[in-house]
Amino acid sequence: MIVVENKSVEDILQMIAPYKKVLIAGCYGCVTVCLAGGEKEVGLLASQIRMARQKEGNPIEVLEQTVERQCDKEYLDKFQDNVREVEAVVSLACGIGIQYLAEIYGSVPVLPGVNTQFLGTNRDVGQWEEFCMACGECVLDKTGGICPIARCSKSLLNGPCGGSQDGKCEISKDVDCAWALIYDRLSALGQLDKMTEYIPAKNWHREKGPRKLVKEELTLERD
Amino acid sequence: MSKNTNIRLGVYLCDCEGKLDQSIDLNKVKAVIQSRADFEYIRIANLLCGTLEKEKIVQEIDKYSLNRLLIAGCTDPFIKRQFTVLAEENGINRYEVEFVNLLIPGKENTEGAVSIINEVLLQMQTRGAVVYEEIDVLPEVLVIGCGTEGAAAALAVSENQPVTVVDNDTFRDGISLIEGKKNITVKTGVKVVGLEGFPGNFLVRFLDNGKHAKQSFGAIIIALEAQPSFDPIKYNGVELGERILSLSQFVKNDRDYAGQKVTFILGQADQDSLLSYATALSNAIALQEKGADVSILYDDMKVSADELEQDYELARARGVNFLKYNGDLQILTTDVAATVRYWEPFLPQIEQIRLISDYLVLAEDYVPHPDTADLAVVLDVRTGPGGFFQEDNVHFLPVMSNREGIYFVGSCHGPIHGIELDKEVETAKAEVGRFASGNIRVPALQPQVTAEQCAVCLTCYRCCPHHAIEIVHDESLNNMYNSAARMNPLACRRCGTCAAECPGKAIQLPFYSDEEILQKVSKPPKLVAYACENSGTLAAEFAKSLQPELQENLQIVSVPCSGKIDALFLLKALEQGADGVLLLVCHKENCKYVWGNERADKRKEQVQRRLAEIGLEGDRVDIVHLAANQGNQFNASVRSMVDKINQLGSNPGKVIK
């Protein structure tokens, strides 16, 4: 899941300062699951904005709408009536949703209501943890199912480094050393020999530029 | 709920023994509302809470086939409870009974009464009826633990339905009591390792002598017996031996003590348990009757349980010596005797007393069965003080767990003595008896989920204190997952915590939907109080009798549990015009629904943070932990909140439309 964190209301108020009527756009996808951009949060933020602006003596009209996913055009189309009504949109979707919404409705400013954080898991209510950085070349087979790119502070492919102490990373005692976790897991799997296997460096050059994935056998021939 | 086309409404107007006569003309009220012909029956009563009235109402419900009741008069919570019970006993769901308070200050006149009754009548006539669901359930009951307590539970339950008793151990003292009995299956070497499903249809996973197995049951009774644990440190390091026995050793041996001097020592190791007092008393009586010379050395004689006082009196009458000590004691043994040296509290000037006995019997502590912690995790039931099953919560009756269909019997939730056990066995038998017929009819009042808004995020599933939620997959569920959360009507206790936590606003609790609650604060007075019906609402009713004027600028919005108080409700009340919002919730660790009040605490903090973010005073929101009988506390809290609001001035964030 894509994990996001709400922007401070102060920042959002600043972004919408020039406007008198805005839409808060929620998404029923990842941001609902991570309790930051679903219908509930849309309602809470809208209420906060109305009260804040009322207090300044500068009332604002706030519309609220949430759609299935902001990363798909068909769902974004559902916003059209409300978007036409407002001077700006605050999207509570991840960076993907915000951008796609902005692309579809080019004539209205689309503003971010969240800071997109990482790809991670939801261990329990209110707790998220980064698990993947979408590097594009998965090595989890070599590392006991624990990602050294996302979970080692240095993204070391051949760890641990000298900063690993008692299973914790030198940057903070609250951060597990990924390579200590990898060691323990490989040990439990009886695959400790993998610790000595050298993992070659990844090619981080972005020679291909922003990534695109096109599967010719699936694409439609649209005229 | 579905639209009801067959509403048969009975209206009762009570003049409270003539008290209302001076201000309200009930005959006129009756005549006016009778002009609306939409109800079945109407009657003016002199005192509805009188005994004979109840019989009369029962007859009227039957005669006119009433399925909804409106009772206008006072709204004393205890009278309300009486009538809801009466209605339920006569086939009318509690949610089909409405009460109208005719004693509202300023509205105590005929017109006021007519308008308020009309308003409620309209609601009752337009809203849908409670729908009942028939659910197939399994009558089979699983008893975990085959000590004497598990055996007692199994024997009782087996009178009506089949019972399987499992125990991880092979030799237990309950086995011989139940083996071969009708309706009872005993399995030893069996450990419970997993649980799925809901009351009536639990799937239990076992390790049966090392092999995986599974079986379905309607209900589960936990009877893992507490175990005595002798701790020498509690007796200054004394070792058990020939002349010094622990109470549990003593109970098990069958030596003849006639002519011997036996002393029981209580109060050193058994601070929280009445069991050792009960055991010592009954054994002392028996010993004395068989010709032993028995003494009981105690620091505080605890007899606060059924029939213990009687045993104490009997023991005294039989000639058992009761000797009180103070503080530490010293125990010395020789080959021929055991001596206790102790201080007698009423004779402090004399030296330590020496009591020489042939045998000393020392009370001991009880600890939970060693499987308790693991089983609690497997079954998702909560433990409490000392690591025993069941938390320390006034709302939890002895056999109740935080899950429907799972019950505790006996010392698994703390050492208890025989008479208490008998009662628990009876209670558990009645509880599991609901499943005996194989079919249960329940009102479908559990929260409803709109699949289109459900992101199957698991927040409700994880926040449910009763393990009442499942994620179901069905092609008819109209979202990208074809899945949605579903609340099980037999497992759900209707606290509404799930509805308040849902990030998609997909969950609504019947009779307490967001729409219904927010409607109540659409034009709020200065102060709004969201009140838990188990504490705040009742305290408010009580408080009203003490200081009615305090509630004039106060809107009380009742919720079934403070876990239902959504952060959005707090912001909305302020946005729509309130100057302050109070949350009236149960005392900490005493939420009827486990942790609703803790969730309410967190939401208050969240809303205070949100108010601070927009430059509004966090003090406009406060939480009060109180009990149902704390009317004074309620008034004090309202007064202090009103003072705070007056200091802060009008809420600058309110958006008046």
Side-chain angles (χ1 to χ4, degrees):
Chain A
M1 170 186 42
I2 298 169
V3 180
V4 310
E5 194 178 23
N6 296 93
K7 271 191 181 293
S8 82
V9 177
E10 210 181 338
D11 288 351
I12 296 173
L13 285 168
Q14 213 162 9
M15 287 181 227
I16 60 171
Y19 310 118
K20 293 275 189 193
K21 190 169 184 180
V22 298
L23 166 68
I24 313 280
C27 171
Y28 277 120
C30 304
V31 292
T32 294
V33 179
C34 69
L35 314 182
E39 186 171 327
K40 164 83 159 277
E41 190 59 39
V42 169
L44 289 165
L45 178 63
S47 187
Q48 278 181 292
I49 291 174
R50 283 186 209 109
M51 283 197 275
R53 288 285 290 265
Q54 186 72 30
K55 178 172 158 278
E56 289 168 14
N58 179 19
I60 185 168
E61 203 176 326
V62 185
L63 306 184
E64 305 172 26
Q65 191 183 353
T66 304
V67 299
E68 285 79 354
R69 281 200 302 272
Q70 290 192 23
C71 49
D72 282 304
K73 181 180 176 301
E74 288 79 353
Y75 295 125
L76 288 170
D77 286 345
K78 293 186 176 184
F79 283 127
Q80 56 182 306
D81 288 343
N82 276 333
V83 170
R84 241 175 256 129
E85 291 263 311
V86 297
E87 298 162 71
V89 180
V90 177
S91 168
L92 296 188
C94 67
I96 304 162
I98 299 167
Q99 291 185 53
Y100 207 11
L101 181 59
E103 183 181 315
I104 303 276
Y105 298 103
S107 56
V108 178
V110 176
L111 310 164
V114 300
N115 294 316
T116 303
Q117 298 291 330
F118 52 78
L119 306 181
T121 189
N122 182 195
R123 279 208 192 270
D124 201 348
V125 181
Q127 297 176 39
W128 296 272
E129 217 173 291
E130 181 166 20
F131 266 26
C132 177
M133 277 170 57
C135 72
E137 296 167 58
C138 195
V139 295
L140 287 170
D141 58 317
K142 300 181 174 69
T143 58
I146 293 163
C147 176
I149 304 289
R151 296 169 73 180
C152 164
S153 303
K154 293 176 177 170
S155 295
L156 285 182
L157 280 166
N158 297 281
C161 70
S164 175
Q165 272 185 12
D166 302 326
K168 298 293 172 187
C169 172
E170 63 185 333
I171 67 158
S172 160
K173 61 181 188 313
D174 298 327
V175 175
D176 287 330
C177 168
W179 276 100
L181 295 176
I182 293 169
Y183 179 88
D184 290 345
R185 177 75 56 77
L186 290 175
S187 173
L189 291 171
Q191 298 178 352
L192 267 185
D193 52 309
K194 289 197 176 170
M195 281 299 286
T196 58
E197 237 176 72
Y198 172 70
I199 305 177
K202 285 177 183 287
N203 178 3
W204 290 107
H205 289 285
R206 301 283 297 274
E207 71 266 23
K208 288 180 195 159
R211 288 173 282 185
K212 270 186 192 166
L213 184 61
V214 179
K215 292 189 181 174
E216 294 291 355
E217 80 263 29
L218 298 175
T219 53
L220 291 170
E221 302 299 325
R222 291 192 191 278
D223 295 323
Chain B
M1 287 180 293
S2 78
K3 204 81 184 159
N4 192 356
T5 49
N6 186 25
I7 303 165
R8 298 182 67 88
L9 177 62
V11 180
Y12 290 87
L13 309 169
C14 177
D15 78 352
C16 212
E17 268 191 316
K19 263 186 236 160
L20 282 179
D21 268 359
Q22 294 122 22
S23 45
I24 301 175
D25 181 351
L26 284 184
N27 281 313
K28 201 167 166 196
V29 173
K30 182 182 167 189
V32 175
I33 52 178
Q34 222 163 4
S35 59
R36 310 161 51 102
D38 296 353
F39 47 85
E40 212 54 40
Y41 182 68
I42 187 164
R43 176 162 72 83
I44 296 175
N46 184 241
L47 188 64
L48 270 182
C49 49
T51 320
L52 293 175
E53 277 290 351
K54 288 200 195 77
E55 285 175 24
K56 204 168 165 189
I57 295 172
V58 171
Q59 287 164 7
E60 285 159 347
I61 290 173
D62 186 42
K63 186 173 171 190
Y64 299 99
S65 307
L66 303 179
N67 56 19
R68 283 181 198 192
L69 299 180
L70 186 152
I71 291 164
C74 72
T75 49
D76 182 290
F78 301 101
I79 290 168
K80 270 185 173 176
R81 181 158 297 182
Q82 278 183 6
F83 279 106
T84 32
V85 170
L86 178 139
E88 295 242 301
E89 283 173 358
N90 289 281
I92 301 177
N93 189 278
R94 53 183 295 202
Y95 291 97
E96 308 281 35
V97 185
E98 289 287 346
F99 297 89
V100 171
N101 189 2
L102 297 180
L103 299 163
I104 298 174
K107 278 201 174 174
E108 277 182 70
N109 52 54
T110 307
E111 291 71 42
V114 168
S115 88
I116 188 163
I117 291 173
N118 268 339
E119 201 179 301
V120 178
L121 268 178
L122 189 69
Q123 279 173 19
M124 293 183 84
Q125 283 160 338
T126 49
R127 78 160 175 246
V130 173
V131 174
Y132 283 78
E133 260 180 66
E134 297 273 346
I135 299 176
D136 289 336
V137 294
L138 299 165
E140 284 82 6
V141 175
L142 172 67
V143 175
I144 303 171
C146 194
T148 50
E149 297 174 354
L155 273 179
V157 173
S158 68
E159 288 172 20
N160 304 323
Q161 55 207 107
V163 185
T164 299
V165 189
V166 298
D167 203 300
N168 200 7
D169 281 345
T170 321
F171 303 104
R172 291 305 307 274
D173 43 3
I175 296 173
S176 61
L177 303 173
I178 50 175
E179 221 164 19
K181 290 270 192 315
K182 188 181 160 234
N183 262 351
I184 298 181
T185 312
V186 182
K187 290 181 178 175
T188 56
V190 174
K191 189 176 175 155
V192 175
V193 293
L195 177 69
E196 292 153 35
F198 295 100
N201 290 287
F202 285 124
L203 176 71
V204 184
R205 293 184 185 276
F206 301 106
L207 261 184
D208 185 343
N209 294 289
K211 283 190 193 140
H212 285 279
K214 56 188 176 184
Q215 195 180 334
S216 293
F217 295 93
I220 298 170
I221 292 174
I222 300 173
L224 286 180
E225 283 174 24
Q227 300 186 344
S229 156
F230 183 79
D231 181 1
I233 293 166
K234 301 272 175 74
Y235 292 93
N236 288 323
V238 73
E239 296 287 330
L240 298 176
E242 175 67 18
R243 301 208 165 264
I244 303 185
L245 296 97
S246 72
L247 188 53
S248 58
Q249 283 177 334
F250 175 81
V251 170
K252 280 190 188 134
N253 84 32
D254 46 8
R255 196 181 302 176
D256 179 13
Y257 290 95
Q260 303 285 318
K261 192 166 166 51
V262 182
T263 301
F264 291 84
I265 301 180
L266 297 170
Q268 286 287 297
D270 47 324
Q271 292 305 324
D272 296 320
S273 148
L274 286 170
L275 179 56
S276 47
Y277 290 80
T279 313
L281 279 173
S282 58
N283 280 283
I285 295 166
L287 275 184
Q288 191 80 18
E289 283 173 351
K290 284 181 192 156
D293 175 8
V294 184
S295 300
I296 290 182
L297 195 57
Y298 67 97
D299 68 342
D300 259 322
M301 198 64 214
K302 292 180 187 161
V303 290
S304 61
D306 278 348
E307 296 183 25
L308 273 192
E309 179 90 34
Q310 243 168 295
D311 277 1
Y312 171 72
E313 295 290 341
L314 184 64
R316 288 194 80 110
R318 290 279 188 278
V320 174
N321 297 307
F322 283 85
L323 305 165
K324 189 170 171 69
Y325 69 86
N326 203 4
D328 270 355
L329 1 108
Q330 281 124 39
I331 295 170
L332 303 160
T333 42
T334 65
D335 287 346
V336 293
T339 307
V340 192
R341 288 159 68 100
Y342 68 95
W343 294 99
E344 152 56 65
F346 301 112
L347 301 167
Q349 64 276 36
I350 68 164
E351 287 188 14
Q352 269 189 315
I353 292 176
R354 278 191 306 172
L355 178 68
I356 301 168
S357 313
D358 295 307
Y359 296 96
L360 282 182
V361 181
L362 310 183
E364 65 227 308
D365 248 335
Y366 285 84
V367 293
H369 187 286
D371 290 351
T372 301
D374 284 351
L375 189 64
V377 173
V378 168
L379 302 185
D380 193 15
V381 290
R382 288 164 67 90
T383 54
F388 288 99
F389 281 111
Q390 198 179 51
E391 56 216 286
D392 207 1
N393 180 329
V394 294
H395 290 289
F396 280 50
L397 299 170
V399 304
M400 246 177 101
S401 77
N402 56 305
R403 297 188 64 174
E404 290 291 322
I406 302 181
Y407 309 96
F408 304 125
V409 160
S411 58
C412 68
H413 64 92
I416 63 164
H417 72 93
I419 295 152
E420 284 173 325
L421 175 68
D422 296 345
K423 283 186 187 163
E424 289 190 8
V425 166
E426 281 308 306
T427 313
K429 180 186 171 186
E431 290 285 353
V432 301
R434 294 167 62 212
F435 302 95
S437 72
N439 187 284
I440 295 183
R441 184 168 181 265
V442 279
L445 289 168
Q446 73 277 16
Q448 302 294 315
V449 178
T450 307
E452 288 86 336
Q453 286 166 269
C454 178
V456 284
C457 67
L458 295 167
T459 305
C460 58
Y461 176 87
R462 290 170 176 164
C463 288
C464 176
H466 310 117
H467 212 109
I469 301 177
E470 62 187 325
I471 305 294
V472 291
H473 184 83
D474 191 311
E475 293 306 317
S476 69
L477 294 168
N478 191 15
N479 60 25
M480 63 190 273
Y481 313 99
N482 286 133
S483 297
R486 184 161 75 193
M487 288 67 190
N488 183 285
L490 286 177
C492 174
R493 290 184 176 160
R494 287 180 47 76
C495 63
T497 299
C498 54
E501 297 285 349
C502 175
K505 290 264 126 245
I507 307 174
Q508 298 295 337
L509 179 66
F511 294 96
Y512 298 93
S513 69
D514 291 354
E515 199 187 334
E516 283 164 288
I517 286 174
L518 291 176
Q519 174 63 32
K520 289 181 183 167
V521 295
S522 60
K523 282 182 190 137
K526 271 186 155 185
L527 184 57
V528 169
Y530 291 104
C532 167
E533 283 174 0
N534 300 293
S535 53
T537 306
L538 299 167
E541 292 268 359
F542 179 26
K544 198 186 263 178
S545 66
L546 303 172
Q547 220 178 335
E549 71 279 6
L550 260 186
Q551 300 196 15
E552 278 166 24
N553 273 316
L554 171 66
Q555 164 86 50
I556 293 171
V557 181
S558 289
V559 286
C561 169
S562 54
K564 177 73 185 78
I565 307 171
D566 197 319
L568 197 62
F569 297 170
L570 307 182
L571 281 183
K572 277 287 175 193
L574 291 168
E575 183 190 327
Q576 296 181 149
D579 292 327
V581 183
L582 267 179
L583 290 86
L584 303 170
V585 313
C586 292
H587 282 299
K588 292 200 170 158
E589 293 175 12
N590 271 304
C591 174
K592 187 175 175 184
Y593 306 106
V594 184
W595 56 47
N597 54 356
E598 290 170 30
R599 303 308 294 170
D601 264 318
K602 293 209 164 193
R603 301 205 195 109
K604 179 215 106 182
E605 277 166 33
Q606 187 202 128
V607 169
Q608 286 187 325
R609 193 246 313 151
R610 286 180 187 272
L611 291 177
E613 281 174 351
I614 56 172
L616 285 179
E617 305 87 348
D619 278 355
R620 291 188 185 277
V621 176
D622 204 2
I623 190 164
V624 181
H625 293 265
L626 80 180
N629 60 357
Q630 289 185 291
N632 275 319
Q633 168 71 48
F634 174 90
N635 281 341
S637 305
V638 171
R639 273 196 301 271
S640 99
M641 192 67 189
V642 170
D643 286 348
K644 227 186 304 182
I645 291 173
N646 286 341
Q647 267 174 22
L648 294 172
S650 172
N651 161 21
K654 66 175 81 164
V655 184
I656 311 286
K657 287 185 186 112

